[in-house]
Structures are given as structure tokens and as C-alpha cells.
């Protein structure tokens, strides 16, 4: 039996006050609807039918999935009408899972539980109990409490019904054949003049079908976003969960409320992470790593025992074992630090390798450079890798010593054990073991008198 998913995302999202369609606003760096798509793919969805109404171009540019059908709902006439737009893609023998596009935190485990309930019933409905159910569709049960008989929308509900705290989350699984029939029978003679998907529940009950419910572990899984206050609430809930994962995996977090993962973070044991760090893309951190406050780590790998000091930015880089980085270091794409290498404050690296034990401790730019083991790059050293048109390489041998404030004009090779005098502008290769000094000679004039005020 195929699992066909319908995601309702045609609402305009007016309260977001945004030119971006609501479902493209991100949670943890991923658009809400993409998050839902990832979750149902995890579940093994065969087809995903995305009902959309606004921002088609942006949506189609952002969301690209092989198993996705785009279903336009030109006019938003209600959730039942929305599901109807997907009927060309629904087969009678399918299990149809309906989801709302603006509740991004739904978990695959919860949906799997709902699938398990569907095995025992004709319709499986995800419900939740809320302290304040205002605005939501209420779940009506028979006297036994066992069987669900209807959903009544808040605006259509009596006072007695409004006292019910069990609500419809908007998530359900039905047989394709049943659903196709019931959708045809929907009417819009209700308080909102809409075709309610929720009316199919009473139809099911009247047809003698069994309707059973499952509940999510936490209500936040089914909470929807209508404005940016809701968005920030769900973002924090999501981030707190990421923080818990990191802590349970071996990281001590200075403050789980000041921790942001916008991708996939893997941590080893005995990692400490100070406040306000942001992890983006795929970040892997080994054992015994220390990360100072305000660091941004993006698609990078930090090996065992490395220390990343405050305010460092590391992008698409590899930091080897026991390396030290920062404070205020910037490792751009293609930076590689081999074991015990050290990069200090205000050092920028790009497409460069710092060999084992090599150091660039202060105020340096290394671009398109290869630095040998144990070389020392003095403060203020710049590899001049760009002539305005092309990029060229600098190669520095093992144990070389580059004096402070030197400009190495690429392409250029500095030999192993070579020394470059401070303040040099090096335009020619330097041999192994040689000393190169490329600066104006110091002169001294004796008997010089300082000017005096006229
Ligand atoms: C809906 C449910 C209600 C439930 C609540 C949970 C109905 C009639 N009511 O109410 O029982 O408690 O969700 O949040 O189903 N949408 C479309 N096209 C439309 C209308 C809506 O795609 O024509 C989409 C929206 O973009 C949204 C979802 O369907 O993602 C739910 O719509 P919304 O208007 O928020 O329904 P509620 O009134 O909240
Ligand atoms: Mg809603």
C-alpha cells in the first residue's frame, strides 16, 4: 500500500507580514515545509502532494523533490477544498496522510504512531489536549469516549463543545478511496463558508467507520506558525531540543538557551561549548574540544583536543588534533590545520594549509598558501595571492621563519628552514636555509638637529 502525503500550504500567511510565503520561513535554518517534507520522506512517503496558493515561483525554486506533486489551489476555499486539489494524484488504495504546512516540528515517530493506529482503524486522527483550545476544531467522542464521531470547528461549536480540550491538529490518515468519496460530499454551509476537511470525520462515523486517535509526545510538534512571534517560539523549542541532543552526546553547554544548530551537529565526549555559538551545515566535533563564546562553525570538522577561542569563524575547514584557533580567527573555505597548528587573533586563512605545529599567531592573511611543519609566520604577514586578475600560490617550507610584517608576493616559494627578515616584500623564491631580507637598508645620520618652532 502506497503512502501518499498531502501537505496543506495554500494559506497566504498574511500575519507574517512578509513577501516570503509563510511555509518558506525557516526553523533551524530549513524552510518549514522542507522540514515537513524531510520528515515524511523519513517515514517513507511514496508521493508528496503539496497544495500551494501563493509564491509559486519562490516555492518551486526552493523546494525540489523527486516525489513531489505541485497542486495549485488558486482560491482558498477551505481545508477540504485544499485536499481536493490533490485528488488527481491520490489512488483509492493509497493511505493518505494529511499534514499542515505551517506546523514544522512534527516528528516521524509521531507519524509512525499514527500509522500504527491506522492499522487498527479506518481513520487515524492526531489530536492533542490544550489548556486553551480557543480557535481549534474540537474532537467529539461517543459516550464511551472510545470512538470519535465528529470534529466541530470553534466558530461552529456550542458552549458545551467549546469546553472540550481535545483538539484536531489537522493531521490524519485515511484510505484514499474513502477520502475521494467524502471530499465529493463536502458542503460549505458553516460559520466560515468554507469546505472543511474536518467534516469527513462525521461522514466516516455515519458510514460506520472506526476513527481512532494518537497524540504527539509534545504539543509543540503540532503547533502552527501564524506570525513571527510563533516562529520564534518554535525556533527556541527546536533549538532547545538540539541542545539536549548535544548534551546527551557529551557536550557541556554553558547555556542551552544560547545555542543554535542550523544543520547537523555531531559532538564527541567532553566537549565544552560556551554561549552564543552557531553551528551551520554539517559540523563534526571530536572529543575534548573546547569552543569559546560567539563562534560560528559552518560545514567543518574539529578534531580531538582542539581549542577554538572566542569570536572565531570557521567555514568549510578542517581543524586537526590539538590545534588552537582564535580568539578572533577566521578560517575560510579550504583551510586545513594539521595537528597542533596554531592560528591566533585576527588571522584569516583561505584555501591554505598550516602544517603540523606551524603557527600564525597574529594579524595575518594566508590565501592559497601551503605552510610546512613547525614554520612560524610572524605578525602581520600577508600572502599577496591576487594580482587583480589571477590567484597564485605561496609555498613555505618546514621550519621556515617569516619575520613580522612581510608581504609574500605569489607565486613564490620559501624554502625549508629559510628565514625572511621582518618587513620584507618577497618577490623571488628563497632557498632552503637562506636568509632573505627585502627592505630598505637602515641609515643613520649623526648630528641631526630637530626642527624648532618658528
Ligand atoms: C484547522 C482545522 C482545525 C484544527 C486546526 C489546527 C479545518 C476546517 N480546521 O483550522 O480543526 O484544529 O486547523 O491548526 O480543517 N489551507 C489551505 N487552503 C485553504 C485553507 C487552509 O491550504 O483553503 C491550509 C493553510 O495554509 C494551513 C492549513 O491548511 O496550513 C490549516 O488552515 P487554517 O486556516 O490554519 O485552519 P484553521 O482554521 O486553523
Ligand atoms: Mg491554523
Amino acid at each position: 500500500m502506497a503512502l501518499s502525503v498531502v501537505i496543506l500550504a495554500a494559506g497566504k500567511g498574511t500575519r507574517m507580514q512578509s513577501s516570503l510565503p509563510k511555509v518558506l520561513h525557516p526553523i533551524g535554518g530549513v524552510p518549514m515545509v522542507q522540514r515537513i517534507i524531510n520528515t515524511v520522506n523519513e517515514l517513507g512517503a511514496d508521493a508528496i502532494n503539496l497544495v500551494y496558493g501563493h509564491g509559486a515561483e519562490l516555492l518551486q525554486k526552493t523546494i525540489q523533490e523527486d516525489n513531489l506533486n505541485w497542486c495549485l489551489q488558486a482560491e482558498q476555499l477551505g481545508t477540504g477544498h485544499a485536499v481536493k486539489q490533490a485528488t488527481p494524484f491520490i489512488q483509492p488504495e493509497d493511505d493518505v496522510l494529511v499534514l499542515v504546512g505551517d506546523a514544522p516540528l512534527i516528528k516521524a515517530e509521531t507519524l509512525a504512531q499514527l500509522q500504527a493506529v491506522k492499522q487498527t482503524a479506518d481513520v487515524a486522527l492526531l489530536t492533542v489536549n490544550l489548556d486553551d483550545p480557543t480557535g481549534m476544531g474540537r474532537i467529539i467522542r461517543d459516550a464511551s469516549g472510545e470512538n470519535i464521531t465528529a470534529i466541530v470547528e470553534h466558530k461552529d461549536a456550542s458552549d458545551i463543545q467549546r469546553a472540550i480540550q481535545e483538539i484536531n491538529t489537522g493531521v490524519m490518515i485515511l484510505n484514499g478511496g474513502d477520502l475521494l468519496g467524502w471530499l465529493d460530499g463536502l458542503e460549505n454551509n458553516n460559520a466560515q463558508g468554507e469546505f472543511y476537511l474536518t467534516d469527513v470525520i462525521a461522514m466516516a462515523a455515519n458510514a460506520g467507520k472506526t476513527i481512532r486517535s494518537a497524540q504527539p509526545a509534545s504539543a509543540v510538534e503540532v503547533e502552527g506558525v501564524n506570525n513571527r512571534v510563533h516562529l520564534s517560539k518554535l525556533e527556541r523549542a527546536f533549538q532547545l531540543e538540539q541542545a539536549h541532543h548535544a548534551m546527551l552526546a557529551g557536550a557541556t553547554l554553558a547555556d542551552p538557551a544560547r545555542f543554535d544548530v542550523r544543520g547537523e551537529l555531531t559532538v564527541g565526549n567532553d566537549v565544552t561549548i560556551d554561549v552564543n555559538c552557531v553551528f551551520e551545515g554539517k559540523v563534526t566535533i571530536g572529543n575534548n574540544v573546547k569552543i569559546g563564546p560567539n563562534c560560528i562553525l559552518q560545514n567543518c570538522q574539529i578534531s580531538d583536543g582542539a581549542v577554538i577561542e572566542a569570536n572565531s569563524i570557521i567555514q568549510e575547514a578542517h581543524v586537526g588534533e590539538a590545534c588552537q584557533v582564535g580568539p578572533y580567527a577566521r578560517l575560510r573555505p579550504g583551510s586545513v590545520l594539521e595537528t597542533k597548528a596554531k592560528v591566533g587573533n585576527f588571522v584569516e586563512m583561505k584555501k591554505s594549509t598550516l602544517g603540523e605545529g606551524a603557527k600564525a599567531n597574529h594579524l595575518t592573511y594566508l590565501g592559497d598558501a601551503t605552510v610546512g611543519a613547525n614554520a612560524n609566520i610572524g605578525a602581520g604577514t600577508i600572502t599577496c595571492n591576487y594580482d587583480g586578475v589571477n590567484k597564485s600560490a605561496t609555498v613555505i617550507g618546514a621550519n621556515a621563519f617569516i619575520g613580522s610584517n612581510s608581504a609574500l608576493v605569489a607565486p613564490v616559494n620559501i624554502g625549508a628552514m629559510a628565514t625572511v627578515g621582518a618587513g620584507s616584500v618577497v618577490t623571488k623564491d628563497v632557498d632552503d636555509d637562506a636568509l632573505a631580507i627585502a627592505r630598505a637598508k637602515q641609515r643613520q645620520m649623526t648630528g641631526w638637529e630637530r626642527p624648532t618652532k618658528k
Side-chain angles (χ1 to χ4, degrees), residues 157-231:
S158 65
D159 285 345
I160 291 172
Q161 289 169 331
R162 284 184 183 180
I164 296 170
Q165 288 178 308
E166 188 185 11
I167 63 106
N168 169 35
T169 63
V171 179
M172 57 183 86
I173 306 177
L174 317 93
N175 302 321
D178 288 344
L179 177 66
L180 292 170
W182 295 330
L183 288 176
D184 276 337
L186 288 181
E187 288 174 20
N188 63 350
N189 51 357
N190 51 51
Q192 301 184 79
E194 287 183 2
F195 296 95
Y196 292 162
L197 174 63
T198 44
D199 284 352
V200 303
I201 300 303
M203 293 179 183
N206 289 337
K209 304 277 182 180
T210 50
I211 305 149
R212 295 265 143 79
S213 64
Q215 297 218 322
S218 158
V220 81
E221 277 188 57
V222 294
E223 238 176 89
V225 171
N226 289 321
N227 59 40
R228 297 184 202 232
V229 177
H230 299 147
L231 189 69

Side-chain angles (χ1 to χ4, degrees), residues 339-414:
T339 306
K340 289 190 175 161
K342 206 176 158 205
V343 164
N345 42 222
F346 305 108
V347 172
E348 175 182 349
M349 283 180 69
K350 185 223 77 174
K351 247 185 168 177
S352 292
T353 299
L354 209 48
E356 186 167 340
K359 294 180 183 133
N361 275 341
H362 334 264
L363 303 157
T364 284
Y365 174 60
L366 294 172
D368 304 294
T370 307
V371 178
N374 299 310
N376 192 324
I377 310 296
T381 298
I382 306 290
T383 55
C384 309
N385 61 328
Y386 186 50
D387 59 10
V389 184
N390 295 306
K391 301 271 168 73
S392 302
T394 301
V395 179
I396 298 172
N399 295 296
F401 182 96
I402 312 296
S404 296
N405 209 29
S406 293
L408 309 178
V409 183
V412 72
N413 293 318
I414 314 288

Side-chain angles (χ1 to χ4, degrees), residues 74 83 91 111 121 126 190 204 214 230 241 370 387 411 415:
V83 174
Q91 305 306 320
L111 296 177
L126 192 68
N190 51 51
H230 299 147
E241 201 181 339
T370 307
D387 59 10

Side-chain angles (χ1 to χ4, degrees), residues 205-274:
N206 289 337
K209 304 277 182 180
T210 50
I211 305 149
R212 295 265 143 79
S213 64
Q215 297 218 322
S218 158
V220 81
E221 277 188 57
V222 294
E223 238 176 89
V225 171
N226 289 321
N227 59 40
R228 297 184 202 232
V229 177
H230 299 147
L231 189 69
S232 73
K233 184 185 170 204
L234 294 195
E235 178 73 28
R236 277 307 103 203
F238 173 79
Q239 293 301 350
L240 199 57
E241 201 181 339
Q242 305 310 300
H244 285 168
H245 284 316
M247 290 187 283
L248 294 175
T252 295
L253 304 186
D255 183 358
R258 285 180 288 170
F259 172 82
D260 286 80
V261 178
R262 299 174 195 149
E264 203 184 305
L265 172 68
T266 312
V267 295
N269 291 348
D270 300 308
V271 168
T272 62
I273 301 175
D274 214 323

